[in-house]
Amino acid sequence: MHSHKQLGVFSVAALGIGSMIGAGVFALLGQISMAVGSQTSLVFIISGIAAVLSGYSYARLSAHFPNKGGVNYYFRIGLPSQRLANALAILFFVTLVLTIAMVAKAFGAYGARFAHESQSVVLGDSIATAGIIILTWLNVIGPKAVGRVELWLVAIKLAILAVFVVAGSWQLQPDKLVVHQAAPMVNLLASLGLAFFAYSGYGMMANAAADVKNPEKTMPRAFMLAILLVMVVYVLLSLVVLGNVSPAQLLKYSDTAVAQAAEPVLGNAGFIMVLLAALIATASSVIANIFALFNVSDDLVEQRLLPKMFKKGGASISLGMYLVLAVTLILTNFVDLASLAYVASATFLLCYLAVFICAWRLRLVLHANKILLLLGFSLMVLIMVMFIYNLIITFQYTALIILGMSLLVSAWLGGVRHSHD
């Protein structure tokens, strides 16, 4: 009767590791390092602790409510207001759009670097645009093939990254870390939001709970194993990058810092290898997020939160999704990577904060530890407040405007029920 439930601890953890180690760190490590310098590893440790505590709330929810709907399902069963649940479901949809644009932007930056045109914004954006169009087309015509391609891409990416981290750690020169100055406390706190984004892929594990053997034991173990392992990798990766890239190089190549660090560690061949890993990681992330975007869109249509024009029909893209992809391409071509990362980080933080509220309200059913939930919620609120404060004091107008528009659209659509008669 339950033979279809085949996933164990390592299978679920592998899904989370593949989702986390990828585009987030390749796109954001340089941005974070520019802001906090030698304290980058500390930022990844603190944000990793926040991810562990957030993962605890996800683990308890997915163990007791194994559902393929994931975070949107938790909003529906755990929040006090249906309108709030609807608004957050829409916000999560918007977050996927922002993530696709941001990751595609990173894909374009690494692609331009591969063509030795790292300063060419036009080339980078053109590569990003082509990537979105081709990978969307792949999702539509061959979802089964996409799944197989994803497995290979993740395996290759992790293998290359493992070689780089081990070699870089072996050759690490601690004195080079001193060159990167420590940042003021406000910068450190504000950067936690960006670093948290690099962990945010752990939420994908919740969607697998319906296919898990014994979710009560499997899900908590898988979440902890995946997040802690990724934290170790991120800390080592940040030390390797800062131990091999000067502040001047970091400023020049902030969007492709991981590849820049590979050259002194592994030579030109290593540089090309890590550049390929970055391209693979960002491409696989775009594929996964477009796949999620289609699924979330269908779920929102079923909940009557989006009109029927968004429903995918067979091997074709719906009119609504054409409009969403048009918006994604506009964001990719006219908004810088940092602004996209800021907004996506903020919306992810809001959605994951709401998951804490769901877990708290259902804590008796979930047998959840109140102290861990409160500690995690408090830490994430602090990260969120400092993150937004930093956007304001550093005059990140583009990010604030897009964030404001995202919240307004989500609040408005969350109160609208569409008739599908």
Side-chain angles (χ1 to χ4, degrees):
M1 182 176 173
H2 296 285
S3 59
H4 68 287
K5 296 195 173 186
Q6 296 298 321
L7 299 179
V9 172
F10 293 107
S11 299
V12 180
L15 177 67
I17 292 165
S19 299
M20 283 185 278
I21 297 181
V25 72
F26 278 112
L28 298 178
L29 183 54
Q31 302 288 336
I32 296 166
S33 299
M34 280 204 309
V36 298
S38 59
Q39 293 171 317
T40 302
S41 55
L42 177 61
V43 166
F44 276 114
I45 291 171
I46 298 171
S47 58
I49 292 169
V52 166
L53 293 169
S54 174
Y56 174 76
S57 66
Y58 263 97
R60 299 316 306 163
L61 284 161
S62 59
H64 282 77
F65 301 104
N67 186 284
K68 289 185 177 180
V71 65
N72 284 353
Y73 179 72
Y74 305 148
F75 293 156
R76 288 201 287 273
I77 64 172
L79 291 175
S81 159
Q82 191 59 50
R83 180 163 185 165
L84 176 60
N86 294 344
L88 283 165
I90 295 290
L91 184 64
F92 188 68
F93 181 76
V94 171
T95 301
L96 289 174
V97 173
L98 292 164
T99 303
I100 291 167
M102 190 275 285
V103 176
K105 194 94 175 174
F107 175 78
Y110 278 101
R113 190 76 198 278
F114 200 79
H116 304 290
E117 296 287 345
S118 57
Q119 303 306 307
S120 175
V121 176
V122 174
L123 178 61
D125 289 348
S126 299
I127 293 171
T129 298
I132 291 173
I133 293 169
I134 293 168
L135 297 174
T136 300
W137 176 70
L138 278 177
N139 259 292
V140 173
I141 65 164
K144 289 183 180 178
V146 163
R148 288 193 292 270
V149 169
E150 273 286 274
L151 281 174
W152 279 105
L153 291 180
V154 168
I156 294 167
K157 167 187 72 180
L158 294 180
I160 293 173
L161 207 52
V163 170
F164 174 50
V165 168
V166 171
S169 300
W170 187 263
Q171 298 180 37
L172 188 67
Q173 300 174 45
D175 56 303
K176 285 193 174 181
L177 295 171
V178 182
V179 176
H180 298 269
Q181 292 185 346
M185 181 60 71
V186 67
N187 284 27
L188 190 146
L189 291 172
S191 295
L192 293 173
L194 278 181
F196 182 82
F197 181 86
Y199 288 98
S200 60
Y202 65 81
M204 299 286 183
M205 286 189 281
N207 299 70
D211 298 313
V212 163
K213 293 182 291 186
N214 193 0
E216 178 66 32
K217 288 186 177 178
T218 300
M219 295 310 292
R221 291 174 181 173
F223 270 94
M224 294 307 109
L225 174 63
I227 297 170
L228 289 171
L229 183 61
V230 168
M231 191 196 304
V232 171
V233 173
Y234 283 175
V235 169
L236 289 174
L237 195 58
S238 62
L239 289 171
V240 169
V241 169
L242 288 176
N244 290 281
V245 180
S246 69
Q249 286 178 312
L250 193 60
L251 186 62
K252 185 177 181 181
Y253 300 113
S254 60
D255 292 353
T256 56
V258 178
Q260 185 62 32
E263 196 160 22
V265 174
L266 299 170
N268 190 58
F271 171 75
I272 298 297
M273 189 172 70
V274 173
L275 207 52
L276 284 172
L279 286 167
I280 290 168
T282 47
S284 68
S285 180
V286 170
I287 290 173
N289 279 286
I290 290 173
F291 182 76
L293 191 69
F294 282 131
N295 288 340
V296 171
S297 174
D298 285 350
D299 181 63
L300 293 177
V301 171
E302 287 177 18
Q303 300 301 317
R304 295 192 293 121
L305 294 175
L306 287 177
K308 206 169 184 178
M309 63 186 282
F310 281 85
K311 181 76 174 178
K312 182 176 178 284
S316 62
I317 302 176
S318 65
L319 176 60
M321 289 307 293
Y322 271 118
L323 295 174
V324 169
L325 288 169
V327 171
T328 308
L329 291 174
I330 290 169
L331 290 170
T332 304
N333 284 275
F334 295 100
V335 182
D336 62 282
L337 189 146
S339 294
L340 288 169
Y342 286 140
V343 184
S345 299
T347 53
F348 256 119
L349 283 166
L350 281 170
C351 290
Y352 282 23
L353 268 171
V355 173
F356 271 115
I357 295 171
C358 297
W360 177 261
R361 286 174 55 81
L362 297 167
R363 66 189 181 280
L364 296 179
V365 178
L366 303 178
H367 307 296
N369 185 299
K370 292 190 293 186
I371 295 174
L372 289 178
L373 291 178
L374 286 171
L375 188 61
F377 181 79
S378 301
L379 178 56
M380 201 169 285
V381 167
L382 174 65
I383 292 172
M384 183 75 198
V385 169
M386 293 308 301
F387 189 64
I388 299 299
Y389 172 71
N390 184 63
L391 291 184
I392 294 169
I393 64 169
T394 55
F395 307 108
Q396 300 288 342
Y397 293 128
T398 303
L400 288 167
I401 290 169
I402 296 173
L403 177 59
M405 289 174 65
S406 300
L407 295 175
L408 285 172
V409 167
S410 301
W412 172 59
L413 287 177
V416 176
R417 302 292 281 182
H418 297 274
S419 174
H420 293 161
D421 298 333

